[in-house]
């Protein structure tokens, strides 16, 4: 589990050095506004992430009601990223506006597909962001997509500091797809940002550009914790959570089956480093 934030011009000018120091592992940046112009803070936010070593992806809130509009919205994001020399990034398609509900399941699914095809065709990755209620209502056919899903669900209404743990696993969104990320509050706070900010946890680290493995096949101990420590790695529960996410062992709770799976991957030299 990796903790991060998603931001737009509504967060004003961000001190990304402080955000990094607070432990932020990733950021999702709003790329475009409804009028087709770049988010006022997008360039500054992208530069701040790059300068401070914070991996980032972008999102586009869609208002498209027609295929031509979905195509144009997608092209605008692609052109923005290309103009900045960013040739490899995931574009999250934010599907939640009330106006989309009246379109019907088949039409909205088609509009999302138009955006997906445009984005993938330009060489960028694609993902869908929505809230759990919108997903569960079936306003679009989620089963038609095998892309990552980032889901918002706010089970607790109080404010959260970034240093706090997110709500317990029992509150995590339940969807029929592997959960890529969970936006768990819009009332977050973190050093470097003066306004409330969305807080997220990511279960699959998108920023890893090269897969590295624990290649040691000789280790000591019958538990994954002891085995990791015997080869000089961190065997703590928190670090095992990160290893589990990197190896797509979802909903890690330290169960015997999950730990044995990691131990077997380590034994065969196939355990991916987080």
């Amino acid at each position: 589990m990796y903790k991060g934030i998603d931001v737009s011009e509504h967060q004003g000018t961000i001190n990304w050095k402080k955000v990094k120091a607070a432990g932020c592992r990733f950021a999702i940046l709003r790329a475009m506004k409804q009028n087709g112009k770049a988010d006022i803070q997008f360039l500054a936010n992208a530069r701040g992430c790059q300068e401070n070593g914070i991996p980032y992806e972008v999102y586009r809130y869609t208002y498209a009601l027609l295929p031509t509009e979905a195509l144009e919205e997608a092209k605008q994001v692609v052109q923005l990223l290309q103009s900045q020399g960013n040739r490899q990034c995931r574009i999250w398609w934010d599907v939640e506006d009330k106006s989309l509900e009246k379109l019907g399941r088949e039409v909205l699914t088609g509009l999302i597909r138009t955006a997906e095809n445009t984005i993938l065709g330009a060489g960028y990755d694609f993902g869908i962001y929505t809230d759990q209620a919108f997903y569960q209502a079936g306003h679009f056919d989620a089963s038609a997509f095998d892309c990552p899903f980032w889901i918002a669900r706010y089970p607790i209404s109080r404010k959260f500091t970034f240093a706090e743990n997110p709500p317990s696993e029992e509150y995590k969104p339940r969807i029929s797809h592997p959960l890529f990320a969970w936006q768990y509050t819009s009332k977050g706070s973190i050093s470097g940002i003066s306004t409330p900010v969305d807080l997220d946890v990511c279960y699959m680290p998108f920023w890893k550009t090269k897969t590295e493995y624990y290649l040691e096949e000789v280790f000591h101990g019958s538990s994954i914790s002891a085995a990791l420590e015997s080869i000089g790695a961190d065997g703590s529960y928190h670090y095992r959570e990160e290893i589990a996410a990197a190896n797509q062992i979802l909903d890690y709770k330290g169960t015997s089956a999950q730990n044995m799976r990691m131990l077997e991957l380590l034994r065969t030299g196939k355990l991916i480093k987080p």
Side-chain angles (χ1 to χ4, degrees):
M1 179 181 71
Y2 307 85
K3 295 168 68 176
I5 59 176
D6 61 276
V7 299
S8 71
E9 63 188 49
H10 298 298
Q11 275 67 54
T13 301
I14 296 174
N15 185 324
W16 286 100
K17 184 176 182 180
K18 289 184 177 180
V19 169
K20 173 72 171 182
C24 182
R25 299 292 298 274
F26 68 93
I28 312 294
L29 314 178
R30 186 173 79 157
M32 314 295 301
K33 300 197 291 185
Q34 184 177 3
N35 62 9
K37 295 183 179 180
D39 181 281
I40 293 172
Q41 292 295 329
F42 174 72
L43 297 182
N45 286 338
R47 183 169 58 251
C49 287
Q50 292 165 352
E51 291 175 350
N52 290 279
I54 300 174
Y56 74 90
E57 295 184 331
V58 305
Y59 75 92
R60 171 70 194 253
Y61 190 106
T62 180
Y63 297 92
L65 304 178
L66 297 170
T68 52
E69 294 173 346
L71 175 63
E72 184 61 23
E73 285 184 345
K75 287 172 62 177
Q76 288 168 351
V77 185
V78 167
Q79 290 167 359
L80 175 64
L81 293 176
Q82 290 177 341
S83 71
Q84 299 305 308
N86 186 332
R87 301 289 173 175
Q88 187 175 13
C89 183
R90 179 175 284 108
I91 299 172
W92 291 95
W93 208 243
D94 188 338
V95 185
E96 60 175 311
D97 196 72
K98 291 287 291 184
S99 66
L100 306 179
E101 297 177 7
K102 65 183 180 183
L103 295 174
R105 181 181 176 90
E106 184 176 346
V107 172
L108 181 54
T109 301
L111 293 176
I112 300 170
R113 180 70 73 199
T114 295
E116 179 184 41
N117 290 341
T118 304
I119 289 166
L120 294 177
Y124 295 90
D125 292 332
F126 179 83
I128 295 175
Y129 165 91
T130 190
D131 64 73
Q132 182 169 266
F134 201 99
Y135 179 98
Q136 292 179 338
H139 294 303
F140 66 95
D141 183 6
S143 68
F145 301 93
D146 59 5
C147 64
F149 276 75
W150 169 26
I151 303 294
R153 186 191 182 201
Y154 307 157
I156 300 174
S157 61
R158 69 172 177 83
K159 298 177 180 179
F160 278 84
T161 66
F162 188 81
E164 291 181 272
N165 288 325
S168 64
E169 291 288 305
E170 66 182 290
Y171 295 115
K172 192 164 70 170
R174 304 298 173 186
I175 60 174
S176 57
H177 295 75
L179 184 64
F180 187 95
W182 171 22
Q183 184 188 90
Y184 61 90
T185 184
S186 61
K187 299 178 180 179
S189 63
I190 186 172
S191 178
I193 299 179
S194 60
T195 67
V197 62
D198 297 337
L199 302 183
D200 306 86
V201 289
C202 176
Y203 301 98
M204 303 176 192
F206 61 81
W207 49 88
K208 292 181 68 64
T209 58
K210 180 181 178 182
T211 301
E212 297 181 87
Y213 298 89
Y214 291 105
L215 298 178
E216 294 85 355
E217 295 186 17
V218 178
F219 54 82
H220 303 286
S222 57
S223 70
I224 185 62
S225 178
L228 288 168
E229 291 174 354
S230 75
I231 59 174
D234 186 349
S236 69
Y237 182 86
H238 174 71
Y239 193 67
R240 281 183 279 127
E241 280 187 308
E242 295 192 4
I243 294 176
N247 288 271
Q248 297 194 27
I249 300 172
L250 305 180
D251 298 325
Y252 182 75
K253 296 181 175 63
T255 68
S256 176
Q258 290 171 328
N259 288 336
M260 289 303 295
R261 174 60 180 158
M262 286 196 285
L263 197 62
E264 175 63 15
L265 290 172
L266 177 61
R267 185 187 68 78
T268 58
K270 297 178 180 178
L271 188 67
I272 299 173
K273 294 182 178 181

